[in-house]
Amino acid sequence: MSLDAKIPQGPLAEKWSKHKFNLKLVNPANKRKYNIIVVGTGLAGASAAASLAELGYNVTAFCFQDSPRRAHSIAAQGGINAAKNYQNDGDSVYRLFYDTIKGGDYRAREANVHRLAEVSVNIIDQCVAQGVPFAREYGGLLDNRSFGGAQVSRTFYARGQTGQQLLLGAYSALNRQIHLGKVKMYTRHEMLDVVMIDGHAKGIVTRNMKTGEIDTHAGHAVLLCTGGYGNVFYLSTNAIGSNVTAAWRAHKRGAYFANPCYTQIHPTCIPVTGDHQSKLTLMSESLRNDGRVWAPKTVEIAKKLRNKEITAAQVKEEDRDYFLERKYPSFGNLVPRDVASRNAKEMADEGRGVGTSGFAVFLDFADAIQRLGEDTVRAKYGNLFDMYYQITDENPYKQPMRIYPAVHYTMGGLWVDYNLSTNVPGLYALGECNFSDHGANRLGASALMQGLSDGYFVIPYTLGDYLATIGPKPVDKSHPAFEQTKQDVVAYVNKLLSLKGTKTVVEYHRELGHIMWEYCGMARTEEGLIKAKGLIQELKADFWKNAIVTGENEEFNLALERAGRVADFIELGELMVTDALMRRESCGGHFRVESQTEEGEALRDDDNFAFVAAWEWKGDNQPEELHKEELVFENVKLTQRSYK
């Protein structure tokens, strides 16, 4: 199948405006004849559902949480990018576009990224109008701070809880439409399959997580806004419930999965303390504005720190290696996340890591407190410092934070064209669920930007083009495809419930996470990836033989929910390894040890790998088929990334 990204013709800066004019429209009287299904109610889902309902469409929204406001978007901390240039420091739409393309190591579509930069300026106005309490300067103007991968201040923020405040804004807009009857909200419902009729997505199958009832829902289009798949690694900064099931089941119904191996490792997370943990905690990248990252210069000093023979405060200035500032003087501590993460790992690999495990470096605010005063630092980062203290029982005002990289975000996802449509007509993917805007590494503060861009400003235009093509004829829920897909789900649920082995699904999930982190994490080798593929295949066979799933379907059954998600993660894990094995280059968050510069930086192979890898499901235990979307760069020059 040919991958047509539907990128508009014409100059980059005019593509989106011209495209909007050329899209087909649905007149206001006809909009109420269409039913739209939205799965997921984070920033992308809530903003899309609210916007489409405001336009007049009938929307049915689903989330597996007990309230839309519990979506994982709420956990985002540091901020949201927008090319407003309020600081008058040289920012522009083009600079945000360029920083994003470069930050993604030239593995994203130019047209999508430029559109994201364009609409970013509108997102801030939209959110302010909703009452989002962005930080303000003394004079009352919106404040900005810096984030990694940029030399300007373009990140709008609400202390360390930006995601929460933005989600409350979208949630209020969604609630308004629920009250008006334009959105029908289903909470505690998990999507388990897509209903296909004549090659088009026409509905979904869900399970009521409280009662176990499996039901079908019909719509003219299905929008997946279900987030990323970082929990394939077991330990990540994602909420424990975050999963890949909706996207993966869509993949098994024909939607291509693009660039699955592109995983973002966030450099500033609270380090792992042991196998008892079920998730990791992120410390916002905004902390790198004022915090300085360092490790001891020698292994001997690091050993003394690990053995608690000395404290960090006792390490002399000349014995500290501010390695990011040393290696990347232009950007310093504000290099992109993949660069900062890889360098922190190098410190640990050299034996210069700190903390009990040795897998940590310091993030030190002593200079900032001395320069700005503790009250100023507290005003900017107080809730983050408090969170760190609550988890570690260490006071970051008095001693440096210990940080280490952890899985945070996934750049891969369902393949979509410029309209956010998957290759399956009628099936759309928004936000982190799709692959489209971040290439091989996402710049900090761009996830919130993409989710709201897709929901508020892109899908309301592009969805109408498809709906106008198919017409408002009601979807026939009596079509056999609905009952057949429902029975497929029932059979799969019963298959899971028949597992009466001796190992819990959590044990399998943890084992999968160990394999993925060890062989498909920050550094990857061909030998390691080949080994990982075999280990995952063995794990999958063992899962279906020896896993235990207790309880019944007709009840609140966490074991059953977890089993389905882990089974999907195992299959996804194998595809991620396959994708990583195929991509014999280093780029962004994907670092192949065999492909690096003399200075140890990621070395791309633009001649052979300047493409999007889109994988097609070919059946259980069958190799997936690779489709390539060649990336064409007309406005930026492909160069070796440098943040020095």
Side-chain angles (χ1 to χ4, degrees), residues 79 95 105 144 178 239 244 381 384 457 542 576 578 601:
R95 189 177 294 277
D105 218 354
N144 293 115
I178 294 173
V244 76
Y381 309 114
L384 296 170
F457 297 108
D542 193 67
M576 290 173 68
T578 300
E601 303 292 345

Side-chain angles (χ1 to χ4, degrees), residues 301-484:
I301 296 174
K303 283 182 179 177
K304 289 182 179 180
L305 284 164
R306 290 198 293 272
N307 294 332
K308 298 184 179 179
E309 297 172 21
I310 59 174
T311 65
Q314 292 173 313
V315 179
K316 297 176 182 177
E317 191 69 18
E318 60 265 27
D319 291 328
R320 301 180 179 196
D321 181 9
Y322 296 94
F323 53 91
L324 294 179
E325 297 173 35
R326 169 174 58 83
K327 296 177 70 172
Y328 309 99
S330 292
F331 282 74
N333 293 298
L334 288 173
V335 292
R337 291 173 175 177
D338 60 315
V339 177
S341 295
R342 198 156 53 246
N343 278 273
K345 181 179 184 294
E346 284 179 14
M347 296 299 108
D349 291 346
E350 291 174 10
R352 294 199 279 147
V354 299
T356 307
S357 67
F359 291 105
V361 294
F362 288 127
L363 181 62
D364 198 336
F365 282 83
D367 283 1
I369 291 172
Q370 185 176 5
R371 184 179 73 252
L372 303 170
E374 185 174 317
D375 288 345
T376 300
V377 172
R378 191 180 298 274
K380 294 173 75 172
Y381 309 114
N383 62 315
L384 296 170
F385 277 47
D386 183 59
M387 184 169 67
Y388 182 87
Y389 175 72
Q390 295 293 335
I391 292 171
T392 66
D393 197 30
E394 297 173 6
N395 184 348
Y397 294 103
K398 303 300 181 185
Q399 62 191 95
M401 292 182 180
R402 289 174 296 106
I403 58 167
Y404 197 67
V407 172
H408 178 57
Y409 187 90
T410 50
M411 284 76 65
L414 294 179
W415 183 89
V416 294
D417 62 19
Y418 191 70
N419 294 328
L420 304 184
S421 171
T422 68
N423 59 294
V424 173
L427 181 66
Y428 292 77
L430 284 65
E432 191 180 355
C433 185
N434 74 36
F435 87 101
S436 66
D437 290 7
H438 306 297
N441 173 63
R442 177 177 67 79
L443 290 186
S446 287
L448 307 183
M449 177 172 62
Q450 186 206 350
L452 293 178
S453 164
D454 289 354
Y456 282 139
F457 297 108
V458 179
I459 201 67
Y461 286 96
T462 60
L463 180 62
D465 187 67
Y466 170 74
L467 297 176
T469 302
I470 64 170
K473 181 182 178 182
V475 178
D476 183 9
K477 200 177 174 184
S478 65
H479 192 284
F482 281 90
E483 182 60 27
Q484 180 59 56

Side-chain angles (χ1 to χ4, degrees), residues 261-276:
C261 79
Y262 285 160
T263 307
Q264 179 170 83
I265 313 293
H266 198 294
T268 52
C269 298
I270 298 178
V272 176
T273 56
D275 280 346
H276 63 280

Side-chain angles (χ1 to χ4, degrees), residues 16-32:
W16 178 230
S17 56
K18 286 186 175 180
H19 187 65
K20 286 190 290 185
F21 179 76
N22 291 327
L23 290 169
K24 297 184 181 69
L25 298 175
V26 177
N27 83 56
N30 280 343
K31 285 189 173 79
R32 56 179 174 266

